[in-house]
């Protein structure tokens, strides 16, 4: 007799239990019963036909034996237990199916998260490789310096151009670039359509103007040409008591040392810089002086 396949045994056992009224007879259960392979005729060869007929006869005999088991009271309890176990297995398979679907959903979510992280990483690398030159530089690291020495450093960090010109003749104060947080806090009516980059570009030109102006003021008189000497005296005439020891510029300096246009747009940016405490106005003697803070 041919060996009994596991699929055949489950099929025959289920059929026998239906006969014994241990399992409810319904169309769904019948559809779920596997079809033995012996019922599939893959060849018309006589030997195959004989083998298939023998398998069918054996299957019918086993089904009859299982049906007769229902009349044995000692085996009825066993069949009932088997039926309960089959129902339990079916429930476990349903749970596994639900867990598989849940894990597939989580896998799709993780894939989307991975793609988002990859896009952010590419953006971060792009920002790192294209850092604007006008952004503020990293602050110097704090050091354990005694309080007395720290005060001395604070005094020498921002020297006055006249008193300490001998020691720091190349030092010129600059306007700090605007931070994005500061730009966002500027009222909308004040900045209008002005962008963050446009304001910092003007700051860059102003710093270059102030540097060029005080380069002339710190230059020895003997090395000056006539044109430079005239500029020197004009710069001195612009100074007042309020500008003593301070760095400042006027609109004429912007025209002489930069490519900026002194127009309405320029004055809007100056108002923004005053609002952000980068400049302060000092008026008098037909000049508007802009002091660097």
């Amino acid at each position: 007799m041919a060996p009994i396949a596991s699929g055949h045994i489950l099929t025959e056992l289920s059929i026998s239990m239906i006969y014994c009224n241990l399992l409810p007879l319904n169309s769904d259960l019948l559809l779920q019963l596997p079809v033995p392979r012996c019922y599939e005729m893959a060849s018309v060869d006589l030997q195959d036909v004989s083998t298939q007929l023998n398998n069918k006869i054996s299957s019918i005999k086993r089904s009859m034996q299982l049906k007769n088991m229902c009349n044995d009271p000692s085996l009825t309890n066993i069949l009932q237990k088997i039926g309960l176990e089959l129902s339990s297995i079916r429930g476990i398979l349903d749970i596994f199916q639900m867990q598989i679907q849940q894990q597939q959903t989580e896998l799709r979510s993780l894939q989307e998260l991975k793609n988002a992280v990859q896009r952010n990483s590419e953006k971060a690398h792009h920002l790192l490789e294209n850092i604007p030159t006008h952004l503020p530089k990293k602050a110097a690291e704090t050091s354990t310096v005694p309080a007395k020495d720290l005060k001395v450093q604070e005094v020498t960090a921002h020297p006055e151009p006249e008193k300490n010109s001998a020691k720091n003749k190349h030092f010129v104060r600059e306007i700090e670039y605007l931070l994005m947080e500061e730009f966002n806090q500027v009222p909308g009516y004040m900045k209008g359509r002005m962008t963050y980059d446009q304001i910092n570009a003007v700051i860059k030109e102003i710093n270059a103007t102030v540097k060029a102006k005080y380069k002339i003021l710190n230059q020895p008189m003997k090395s000056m040409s006539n044109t430079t000497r005239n500029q020197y005296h004009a710069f001195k005439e612009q100074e007042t008591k309020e500008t003593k020891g301070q760095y400042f510029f006027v609109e004429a300096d912007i025209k002489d040392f930069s490519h900026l246009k002194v127009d309405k747009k320029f004055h809007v940016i100056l108002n923004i810089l005053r609002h952000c405490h980068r400049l302060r106005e000092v008026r008098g003697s037909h000049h508007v002086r802009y002091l660097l803070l």
Side-chain angles (χ1 to χ4, degrees), residues 57-116:
I57 294 171
S58 299
S59 177
I60 293 171
K61 288 181 178 180
R62 285 193 296 272
S63 299
M64 296 301 295
Q65 291 174 358
L66 291 172
K67 182 179 179 182
N68 294 330
M69 290 173 61
C70 299
N71 299 323
D72 191 350
S74 61
L75 300 177
T76 302
N77 294 333
I78 297 176
L79 292 175
Q80 290 178 347
K81 291 180 179 179
I82 292 174
L84 294 175
E85 290 179 357
L86 289 174
S87 300
S88 176
I89 291 173
R90 187 176 291 107
I92 293 174
L93 290 176
D94 292 339
I95 294 174
F96 285 166
Q97 184 67 26
M98 292 174 60
Q99 291 180 349
I100 290 173
Q101 293 176 355
Q102 183 179 359
Q103 291 179 358
Q104 289 176 345
T105 303
E106 293 178 354
L107 182 61
R108 287 193 294 269
S109 300
L110 290 174
Q111 186 64 36
E112 293 176 358
L113 182 61
K114 178 183 176 182
N115 295 336

Side-chain angles (χ1 to χ4, degrees), residues 173-176 206-207 210 213-214 238-251 253 270 273-284 287-293:
R173 182 186 291 277
E174 293 183 348
I175 302 176
E176 294 183 358
I206 292 176
N207 287 334
V210 174
K213 176 179 181 178
Y214 282 89
Q238 296 171 0
E239 295 179 354
T240 63
K241 293 181 179 180
E242 293 185 64
T243 63
K244 185 177 181 181
Q246 303 293 329
Y247 292 90
F248 70 94
F249 66 92
V250 296
E251 293 182 0
D253 300 331
L270 291 182
L273 295 180
R274 286 200 303 270
H275 176 78
C276 296
H277 306 289
R278 295 296 195 277
L279 297 176
R280 181 169 67 89
E281 280 189 9
V282 175
R283 296 176 178 269
H287 287 293
V288 180
R289 301 161 185 82
Y290 298 96
L291 274 65
L292 278 61
L293 300 179

Side-chain angles (χ1 to χ4, degrees), residues 16 25 40 53 90 116 122 127 129 139 158 160 163 174 187 192 220 227 231 270 276 280 284 286-287:
S16 177
L25 179 59
E40 299 175 0
L53 290 174
R90 187 176 291 107
E122 292 175 357
L127 292 175
E129 294 174 357
H158 302 290
E160 296 181 356
K163 294 182 179 179
E174 293 183 348
T227 303
Q231 288 179 323
L270 291 182
C276 296
R280 181 169 67 89
H286 307 287
H287 287 293

Side-chain angles (χ1 to χ4, degrees), residues 245-275:
Q246 303 293 329
Y247 292 90
F248 70 94
F249 66 92
V250 296
E251 293 182 0
D253 300 331
I254 298 296
K255 296 177 181 179
D256 293 338
F257 298 107
S258 74
H259 302 287
L260 297 175
K261 295 181 180 180
V262 183
D263 53 8
K264 183 179 180 180
K265 180 179 177 181
F266 177 75
H267 285 96
V268 169
I269 294 178
L270 291 182
N271 289 333
I272 294 174
L273 295 180
R274 286 200 303 270
H275 176 78

Side-chain angles (χ1 to χ4, degrees), residues 2 18 88 105 187 196 216:
I18 292 173
S88 176
T105 303
Y196 174 76
I216 295 174

Side-chain angles (χ1 to χ4, degrees), residues 28-228:
D28 294 338
L29 181 60
L30 292 176
L31 292 174
Q32 292 177 2
L33 293 176
V35 179
R37 291 185 180 179
C38 63
Y39 295 156
E40 299 175 0
M41 300 184 63
S43 174
V44 296
D45 186 74
L46 183 59
Q47 183 66 31
D48 295 338
V49 172
S50 176
T51 302
Q52 292 179 10
L53 290 174
N54 290 332
N55 289 337
K56 289 182 180 181
I57 294 171
S58 299
S59 177
I60 293 171
K61 288 181 178 180
R62 285 193 296 272
S63 299
M64 296 301 295
Q65 291 174 358
L66 291 172
K67 182 179 179 182
N68 294 330
M69 290 173 61
C70 299
N71 299 323
D72 191 350
S74 61
L75 300 177
T76 302
N77 294 333
I78 297 176
L79 292 175
Q80 290 178 347
K81 291 180 179 179
I82 292 174
L84 294 175
E85 290 179 357
L86 289 174
S87 300
S88 176
I89 291 173
R90 187 176 291 107
I92 293 174
L93 290 176
D94 292 339
I95 294 174
F96 285 166
Q97 184 67 26
M98 292 174 60
Q99 291 180 349
I100 290 173
Q101 293 176 355
Q102 183 179 359
Q103 291 179 358
Q104 289 176 345
T105 303
E106 293 178 354
L107 182 61
R108 287 193 294 269
S109 300
L110 290 174
Q111 186 64 36
E112 293 176 358
L113 182 61
K114 178 183 176 182
N115 295 336
V117 170
Q118 186 174 0
R119 289 194 299 269
N120 291 336
S121 177
E122 292 175 357
K123 291 180 181 179
H125 284 297
H126 176 74
L127 292 175
L128 183 62
E129 294 174 357
N130 298 275
I131 297 177
T133 56
H134 62 263
L135 288 180
K137 296 182 180 180
K138 184 178 179 181
E141 297 181 357
T142 57
S143 59
T144 55
V145 181
K148 295 181 179 180
D149 297 339
L150 186 60
K151 291 181 180 179
V152 174
Q153 289 182 2
E154 291 178 354
V155 173
T156 58
H158 302 290
E160 296 181 356
E162 294 183 355
K163 294 182 179 179
N164 299 322
S165 60
K167 295 182 180 179
N168 301 284
K169 53 186 174 181
H170 297 295
F171 173 82
V172 177
R173 182 186 291 277
E174 293 183 348
I175 302 176
E176 294 183 358
Y177 289 102
L178 216 61
L179 301 177
M180 183 58 71
E181 296 178 358
E182 295 175 306
F183 176 77
N184 293 333
Q185 292 176 358
V186 177
Y189 73 88
M190 183 177 294
K191 60 185 177 184
R193 297 183 179 180
M194 205 69 60
T195 65
Y196 174 76
D197 292 332
Q198 288 175 335
I199 296 174
N200 280 329
V202 171
I203 291 177
K204 183 178 180 180
E205 291 291 332
I206 292 176
N207 287 334
T209 298
V210 174
K211 185 176 181 180
K213 176 179 181 178
Y214 282 89
K215 181 179 180 181
I216 295 174
L217 287 172
N218 294 328
Q219 186 176 346
M221 292 289 293
K222 295 181 180 179
S223 61
M224 292 183 183
S225 63
N226 291 331
T227 303
T228 304

